Amino acid sequence: MAGFGWKLHGDGKHLGPGDVVRPGERLSWGRTVGLGAQHVVSMIGACFVAPVLMGLDPSLALLASGVATALFLLATRGRVPSYLGSSLSFVGVSAAIAGQGGDTGTLTGAMLVVGACLAGCGIAVQVLGARIIHAVLPPPVTGAVVMLIGFNLAPVTAGTYWPQDQWTALATMAFTGLALVVLRGFWSRVAIFLGLVFGYVLSWVLDRTAGRIHAPDGSGKVVDHWRVDFSGVGSAHWIGLPHVHAPHFTGSAILVALPVLVALLAENTGHVKAVGEMTGDPLDDTMGTAIVADGAATVLSTAFGGPATTTYAENIGVMAATRVYSTAAYWAAACFALLFGLCPKFGAVVAAIPGGVLGGITVILYGMIGLLGAQIWIRNKVDFTQPLNLVPTAAGVIIGVGGVSLKISGDFELSGIALGTLVVLAAYHALRRLSKTAGTPQPPLLDGGTAQYDTAPAAAPRPGEDAGPAA
């Protein structure tokens, strides 16, 4: 199957207990369109939050996500059900580039280069096999890079979004956290989106009841201003093309963005493996193709001023809940995204999200991105009592999170994410090779924590002490 010609599952209307709709099957077109709409609702929160945080057009991001998803489904010949949305991994990069004086064109140029490199890595994976990823980017390195990318964003929340309306930010954070923990099934998958809606409505209510707020605005100036500014919504058209711009290429911005390549490779690899396990179809032979497709989609999106794309875990959750893996539903979702992207008024509503709301959301969201790095360590049972794992990751994470800089020449320096990634990657492989060459044993650098004491025999009581009752 080349992505079309789905076989009708049963009568297309009823699913029995345990029934699974495979990628090459579909339900009735009405139900398929409904599932496509559900996929859109699932992804739309993260898909438009990412461009808003990076200063890009959310309408263009939605349009690009629809095109990217269609391209991905065609490239993988319908075997990998997946939605490609805006990547949040570049949010920290956008802040770093803006701090260097770069604009959105500089950002999209850097993302385009990363997309081209990702496509190149996909070709290498297709030729050499998936094992090449694990050889170059072992779990200690991958986890550290993902962690520093997330935690490097903390100053953006603390310095830009949260001060704009601290109480709305606090309320939005609390509501989002509650939704993530308490809600179940589909609603838990869209908790970030629900948090945005809650904060948006709360800000509008506060504007009507408490009036303007005296706080920093988006530019950082402390002024009296409305929390929700709908001035751009009224002037926006219902139908029209989103704003596009050409990318610009600068060496310093590209160096800042390149470390995200590690995160994108980890995301794509994990996504393909997860989908393969869910559908029962081993997909290692399509991994290279999937990575190439994501890289090509990123190049296409950023060439017109859109964000980088990546495979979305949110939509895996929808498949897990429904057990419907039909790629026909993803084609329907892509069509919905294209329609939303051609509605500038929708984009204007998204762009009007108050800074305080983004502050409450990003406190959780950025932390979650960082902790995905820890999840990679845990799932792969990375042993940090080993100096080879501990030393490079410890140094790289602190450099990346703390914004340490290294001046190379008068007008060039490495810092933050770029320097942290370089330290982790270079130090790990260099120390690993030196250790093997020298035949150095790797004794634990740190003790094993409390676990060894939990299982150790009880110590004999000191003279005069009561041993207590027997267990």
Side-chain angles (χ1 to χ4, degrees), residues 21-349:
V21 180
R22 299 196 173 280
E25 299 178 328
R26 67 169 176 86
L27 298 176
S28 66
W29 282 115
R31 287 167 174 75
T32 297
V33 170
L35 284 166
Q38 184 172 245
H39 277 296
V40 170
V41 173
S42 177
M43 69 83 189
I44 202 168
C47 196
F48 72 57
V49 167
V52 167
L53 295 177
M54 293 186 287
L56 302 176
D57 186 347
S59 292
L60 179 59
L62 286 173
L63 185 67
S65 75
V67 174
T69 299
L71 176 64
F72 184 91
L73 293 172
L74 287 172
T76 58
R77 301 180 64 82
R79 284 187 61 196
V80 187
S82 181
Y83 194 92
L84 265 63
S86 306
S87 174
L88 281 161
S89 297
F90 287 93
V91 175
V93 169
S94 69
I97 291 175
Q100 296 176 352
D103 57 11
T104 53
T106 308
L107 171 63
T108 51
M111 290 192 293
L112 189 152
V113 173
V114 174
C117 292
L118 182 63
C121 291
I123 294 173
V125 171
Q126 193 68 18
V127 173
L128 301 174
R131 64 183 183 278
I132 189 67
I133 294 179
H134 303 296
V136 178
L137 299 171
V141 173
T142 306
V145 173
V146 173
M147 176 172 284
L148 66 86
I149 286 173
F151 290 165
N152 181 262
L153 299 169
V156 178
T157 294
T160 301
Y161 297 127
W162 191 278
Q164 292 184 40
D165 188 351
Q166 60 177 358
W167 296 111
T168 296
L170 184 64
T172 302
M173 179 193 73
F175 179 90
T176 305
L178 185 68
L180 283 165
V181 174
V182 174
L183 297 181
R184 292 290 181 267
F186 170 74
W187 293 109
S188 68
R189 298 289 177 177
V190 295
I192 298 292
F193 176 74
L194 295 177
L196 280 172
V197 173
F198 169 82
Y200 210 135
V201 173
L202 176 62
S203 298
W204 182 84
V205 170
L206 289 174
D207 277 345
R208 298 297 174 274
T209 56
R212 299 188 182 208
I213 184 173
H214 184 73
D217 59 9
S219 66
K221 295 181 180 179
V222 180
V223 294
D224 290 329
H225 62 91
W226 297 110
R227 297 168 182 82
V228 182
D229 182 7
F230 282 135
S231 58
V233 178
S235 59
H237 297 290
W238 282 103
I239 300 175
L241 293 174
H243 173 71
V244 299
H245 66 259
H248 303 148
F249 303 98
T250 61
S252 59
I254 291 170
L255 282 174
V256 170
L258 275 175
V260 179
L261 180 63
V262 177
L264 296 179
L265 284 169
E267 287 176 352
N268 278 275
T269 303
H271 185 94
V272 172
K273 285 186 175 294
V275 172
E277 291 176 2
M278 293 172 68
T279 60
D281 178 16
L283 296 173
D284 279 0
D285 60 317
T286 68
M287 189 172 293
T289 303
I291 294 173
V292 171
D294 188 14
T298 291
V299 170
L300 181 62
S301 174
T302 54
F304 292 93
T309 62
T310 189
T311 48
Y312 260 26
E314 287 87 345
N315 299 94
I316 286 185
V318 174
M319 290 192 295
T322 61
R323 297 176 67 83
V324 177
Y325 309 120
S326 172
T327 53
Y330 281 98
W331 278 103
C335 291
F336 276 120
L338 290 172
L339 292 175
F340 278 129
L342 294 173
C343 179
K345 193 172 288 291
F346 175 79
V349 171

